[in-house]
Structures are given as C-alpha cells and as structure tokens.
Amino acid sequence: MAEKLPLWKKWMYALGQLGWSLTSFAIGNALIYFYMPPEGVNIPKYITRGAVWAGLTIVGLVLGISRLFDAITDPLVATLSDRSKMKLGRRRGFLAISVLPFALLSFLPFFPPSSNYTINTIWLFTTVIAFYWFMTMYVTPFFAWMSELGHDPDERLGLSTMISITWALGFVLGTQIYLFQTMLENHGFTPAKAFQTVTVLYGIIGFIFMLLPIVFIDEKRYCEQHTVNEGGLEAIVTAFKEKHFAIFVIQDLLYWIGLTGISLGLVYYVTVLLKLPKEQASQVQMIMFLLSFLFYVPVNFLTKKLGKKQVLMVGFLVFAVNFGFAALLGKLNFSPYVQSYIVAILAAIPLAIFGILPNAMVADIAEAHGRKTGNYKAGVFFGARTFMQKMGQTIAGLVFPSIYILGKNEINEFGLRVSAIISLALMMLGYIVMLFYNEKEILEILKTKLATEKE
C-alpha cells in the first residue's frame, strides 16, 4: 500500500510546476513579441516579419509546426512513461532526463546566431522544436504523477489546486518579462540584450524549481505500482474511446484555441488598441493572475457543492463576456487604463477555474478507467489531453498571428478585434460541449470502488 504524500512534499511537487511554468513562459507567450515587436520597441529584425506563405508569418509557422510536433509526441512520451521501468520511477525518471535541456532550450531560441535571415529562421525552427520535445518529456509525466500521488478525488483536487497556484505564480513572474526588460534598458542594455538576459534568468530559476520533485519525492514509496497491459497505440485509442474523456478533450481543444489567441495578442491589445506602454501588459497579466488566487478557495468550495462540470461551465461564460469586452477595447469612452484592469478582473475568475479543475477531472477519468478495466494508464490520459491542448495552441499559434495582421502587413486594430470575437465564439462552443459531459457516472465508479476497498 502506497504511503500518503506529506504536505511539504506535496509542495515540492507543486513547485516543480512553478519551475516549468516560468521556464516555458517566454517561448509560449513572447516569441511573437521578440521577432515581430510592436511599434516603438527597437529590437533588430532577425527574420522576415511579414507574411511569407499563404498569409502566414515565419513566427506563426514556427509556433504552429513546433506545437504540432509537441502535440504528436505527447502520447508517445505518455506511453513510454506508463511502460517505463527506470530505477527512479516511471515518472520521476523522465523528469530527471529532461530537466536540464528543457531549461537550456527555454532561452536559446532568443539568441539568433547570424545577421542572415535564412540561418536565423533555421535556428528558430530547430531550437523551438527541440524545446517542446524536452518540455513534453518533463510535463506529461509530471501531470500523470498527480493521478498517482493523489489517492482519492479530494486529494487529487487538492494537488490540482496546489499546482494551479504554483503555475500561476510562475506565469505571473513570467509576465513581468517586459517590466524586467525595461529595467535593464534603463541600466544601459539594448532592448534585445535586455530581453535575452531575462529569458536566461527565467531558465536558471525554472531549472532549480523543476529539480525539487525529482530530489524529494520517492515515487516507489508514495505511488501504487500499476502496470499497463496494452500496446502503446492500443492504449491511446482506448483512451479516446472513453466517452467521458472524448467530450472533455473536445471542450479543452476549444478552450485552448481561444485562450491562446488572446494570450498571444495581449501585449498588442494593450499597445495597439489601448495605446498604452508595453509595461502595462505585464501589469495586466500580473493583476489577473494574482486576483485569481482570491477565487481558489471559492472554486474549491463550489466544486464540492456543485461538481466540477457546473463550475467549469461558469468559467466558459465569464471568459466569453471578457473576450467580448476585449473586442471593444479603445472604443469605450473611459480611461484605457481602467479598460485594461477590467480585462484583468474579469479574467481572474475563469483563470482560477480552469487552472484547478481540468487536471483534477482528467485524474478522475484516468482513475475511474483504471479501476473499471484494470489498466492504469494515467500517462496516456494526460498525454492525450495535452495532445489536444497543444493542438489548440498549434492552431492558435499558426492562425492568430495572421488574424492580427488581417487586411494589412502589420498588426492592426481590425485584426485584433476579430481575434477577440473568434475567442468569444470558441468559449461559447466549449460551454455547449460540456452540457454532454456525465460527471455523475465517473464519480459513481470511484465511490463504488472506494467503498469496496474500505470494506
């Protein structure tokens, strides 16, 4: 019988999430900013910035192709992790192998080696794709580990809440990249050198935090040692055939397309639509994530009263309202600063909801499936979930940069407003899909099994 994970070790696990959240921030959220900077940001032109093929930009292609590669490799890493017999453990071993290259590759894409556009483009594609490979090797087993470290739905909800807190802390620190850039510029750094320096610091700090769960958690002591009796492809196929999971990942795909489109464009919503300095984008992101912490306790309380499904649907509705407001930024007859703060405040509620609940829901689905079939393959379920998540990010990364420049060869107001409306529509579709999710059936399987075990 596996031991219950002590509280302090739960925090060691959760701090690993802070590490990879910070480490992945720059490439996930600021690659467009560095290679297609807004007007007034004096970063050299390293690659072609306009559309190069079918209306797509080089940065858009890099984000799209690398995220597609990332999505495809998720189920592969998941099945390898589920079937691994490494001495450190099937999850912990993967984390140990990937942590250093993951950290190094988090900043190398921001150091183009040449003044030649072609060489820099090749460098960008190569380093970003490699980054996502090692990120997958760390993140997919990390999430699957949560299902095994938490031994019942409430414990898994608690772990999911903790990693949501640490992810948000890492993301909030990440959002200050523009502020730290400005601070270094004030000390004589060029904009490019300042930005690059911050990405290096993020990689070093993230590496230290990502080491903590590897060092302090003995997987064999705190996890049940389950086996998988399916082949790799078979395990993936049966995961997607699980009806509860299929509905979950469809809504998750819609959510991530819409959210990524808004996230990639946030600095432009602030600088182009509201005509505010880029530092305000950092402030908006910091406020929305810090405020989201205020809703963590209410989200946990309401989830235990209403269920994960109902609370998640509320998150979709609030995000839809916020994205509708974002489409009107700069057109409203009051302070642009106040408008930016309204976006932050409205986003705080659903960020808390989507930060906590999806991982707990996947863990419940994986555990229920394992108890029903005898195949405990949490890695595959989390890998399949992140496959769909990253497919959403791939689509957004490929398409939204082109939407931002709609009608012109540069980012403009019309394209940004259209992008916000598209994200609104995707949130409403996600809400509709969740109507078909049967949470009661999953909980009944878990309750029945738990009652049997207690007897």
Side-chain angles (χ1 to χ4, degrees):
M1 187 73 177
E3 296 179 36
K4 187 172 180 178
L5 195 65
L7 180 61
W8 75 271
K9 290 198 175 187
K10 289 181 180 178
W11 281 112
M12 291 301 100
Y13 171 72
L15 287 171
Q17 174 100 340
L18 188 156
W20 78 254
S21 172
L22 180 62
T23 303
S24 63
F25 180 86
I27 290 179
N29 297 274
L31 201 67
I32 296 175
Y33 169 85
F34 185 78
Y35 283 100
M36 294 174 61
E39 187 177 351
V41 177
N42 190 27
I43 291 177
K45 188 176 181 181
Y46 296 111
I47 60 172
T48 301
R49 289 177 177 173
V52 293
W53 178 74
L56 299 174
T57 63
I58 287 176
V59 177
L61 287 168
V62 169
L63 287 172
I65 292 171
S66 61
R67 276 301 195 179
L68 179 60
F69 171 81
D70 185 26
I72 292 170
T73 54
D74 263 324
L76 171 63
V77 170
T79 54
L80 290 173
S81 176
D82 277 342
R83 303 172 72 85
S84 171
K85 299 185 185 300
M86 282 190 272
K87 289 184 179 180
L88 280 177
R90 59 179 184 169
R91 313 302 182 197
R92 190 181 177 203
F94 270 79
L95 269 61
I97 291 171
S98 60
V99 62
L100 180 58
F102 179 17
L104 289 173
L105 286 159
S106 70
F107 56 80
L108 287 179
F110 297 100
F111 288 82
S114 171
S115 59
N116 183 285
Y117 289 0
T118 301
I119 292 174
N120 290 342
T121 299
I122 294 170
W123 171 264
L124 188 58
F125 271 99
T126 302
T127 53
V128 173
I129 287 171
F131 165 81
Y132 278 116
W133 167 251
F134 287 104
M135 177 178 171
T136 296
M137 285 186 64
Y138 188 95
V139 172
T140 297
F142 179 88
F143 279 136
W145 212 2
M146 185 189 75
S147 180
E148 296 157 355
L149 293 172
H151 300 155
D152 59 61
D154 285 343
E155 194 171 9
R156 287 189 288 273
L157 179 62
L159 280 172
S160 187
T161 302
M162 293 167 75
I163 65 174
S164 179
I165 292 170
T166 52
W167 177 86
L169 288 172
F171 193 88
V172 167
L173 181 56
T175 62
Q176 302 313 294
I177 193 167
Y178 311 113
L179 176 62
F180 296 145
Q181 177 192 1
T182 300
M183 291 170 63
L184 290 174
E185 287 174 22
N186 292 337
H187 284 80
F189 285 68
T190 65
K193 186 61 68 178
F195 190 89
Q196 291 167 332
T197 301
V198 179
T199 64
V200 172
L201 291 174
Y202 280 5
I204 293 170
I205 296 168
F207 173 74
I208 293 169
F209 279 109
M210 286 192 291
L211 281 176
L212 296 178
I214 301 169
V215 172
F216 289 107
I217 299 178
D218 183 346
E219 182 173 331
K220 295 180 181 179
R221 180 178 175 185
Y222 296 106
C223 299
E224 296 286 352
Q225 301 302 303
H226 294 302
T227 58
V228 178
N229 301 315
E230 297 174 320
L233 181 59
E234 181 187 3
I236 295 168
V237 170
T238 55
F240 278 108
K241 282 184 177 179
E242 172 66 54
K243 62 181 179 178
H244 310 295
F245 185 66
I247 293 169
F248 175 87
V249 293
I250 290 171
Q251 63 81 30
D252 208 38
L253 174 68
L254 295 167
Y255 166 75
W256 281 105
I257 296 173
L259 182 68
T260 304
I262 287 287
S263 298
L264 290 173
L266 184 58
V267 66
Y268 303 111
Y269 285 92
V270 170
T271 58
V272 177
L273 296 185
L274 293 176
K275 307 293 191 291
L276 297 174
K278 67 181 186 298
E279 293 81 13
Q280 184 64 13
S282 292
Q283 190 171 21
V284 167
Q285 289 177 311
M286 181 178 67
I287 290 171
M288 68 172 67
F289 280 97
L290 290 178
L291 276 180
S292 72
F293 292 156
L294 298 178
F295 296 100
Y296 275 45
V297 172
V299 166
N300 271 267
F301 175 78
L302 289 173
T303 297
K304 291 175 181 178
K305 291 288 184 182
L306 303 176
K308 300 179 183 73
K309 171 182 174 178
Q310 297 299 325
V311 177
L312 199 73
M313 291 172 73
V314 171
F316 273 119
L317 290 178
V318 178
F319 255 147
V321 171
N322 198 21
F323 296 161
F325 180 79
L328 300 174
L329 290 175
K331 294 288 187 181
L332 303 168
N333 193 26
F334 57 94
S335 166
Y337 282 97
V338 173
Q339 292 179 50
S340 71
Y341 295 139
I342 290 174
V343 169
I345 293 168
L346 284 175
I349 299 171
L351 282 174
I353 292 170
F354 283 97
I356 295 171
L357 298 188
N359 285 323
M361 292 170 77
V362 176
D364 286 347
I365 293 170
E367 182 67 16
H369 180 84
R371 293 181 179 189
K372 187 169 59 175
T373 65
N375 276 313
Y376 288 83
K377 50 182 186 182
V380 166
F381 277 101
F382 276 96
R385 186 260 168 145
T386 51
F387 168 80
M388 295 299 282
Q389 170 187 332
K390 290 169 184 177
M391 283 299 296
Q393 294 169 326
T394 297
I395 294 168
L398 191 64
V399 173
F400 273 87
S402 299
I403 295 172
Y404 301 152
I405 63 173
L406 206 60
K408 297 183 180 180
N409 213 26
E410 61 184 16
I411 292 168
N412 62 84
E413 285 193 22
F414 177 71
L416 290 169
R417 297 189 197 282
V418 170
S419 71
I421 293 170
I422 291 172
S423 290
L424 183 160
L426 290 166
M427 293 300 122
M428 293 308 302
L429 284 173
Y431 176 88
I432 293 169
V433 170
M434 278 303 296
L435 292 171
F436 299 94
Y437 182 74
N438 190 343
E439 184 177 32
K440 290 182 180 178
E441 189 172 327
I442 296 168
L443 294 178
E444 283 301 318
I445 294 171
L446 294 175
K447 287 178 182 177
T448 301
K449 281 288 187 178
L450 284 172
T452 304
E453 289 168 3
K454 286 178 181 178
E455 291 173 3

